[in-house]
Amino acid sequence: MTVQQEALAGGEALEVWIDQDLCTGDGICAQYAPEVFELDIDGLAYVKGADDELLQAKGATVPVPLPLLTDVVDSARECPGECIHVRRAADGVEVYGPDAE
């Protein structure tokens, strides 16, 4: 079983963050999951907090809402900058994104 399958099967809480140093500003993430991602005026994507405010601190994370998991994972897979990281909240192991096992 892969790390991804384990995370889904275990119903573990996941969180997502964006590495703005790698972001190409294509906006694919905001198209897939506008509830989670948004482009700022600087042309880079950021995650959004519960109050829809962009979290611009380096490495800022937000929980991945279960109903949006597929959209967030698709964002990570399709991102040309390979800058979207989805990891288990409990231990920080990346399950989707460029550093996933």
Side-chain angles (χ1 to χ4, degrees), residues 65-78:
L66 191 55
L68 299 175
L69 178 59
T70 299
D71 295 334
V72 171
V73 169
D74 287 345
S75 296
R77 288 183 175 152
E78 298 297 324

Side-chain angles (χ1 to χ4, degrees), residues 20-70:
Q20 279 77 28
D21 292 337
L22 299 175
C23 181
T24 58
D26 288 272
I28 291 172
C29 56
Q31 291 175 4
Y32 276 109
E35 302 88 349
V36 177
F37 306 108
E38 186 175 321
L39 293 176
D40 197 13
I41 59 172
D42 63 4
L44 301 177
Y46 294 87
V47 293
K48 298 191 322 185
D51 57 0
D52 274 352
E53 185 165 335
L54 297 185
L55 303 180
Q56 296 177 313
K58 191 171 186 81
T61 64
V62 296
V64 177
L66 191 55
L68 299 175
L69 178 59
T70 299

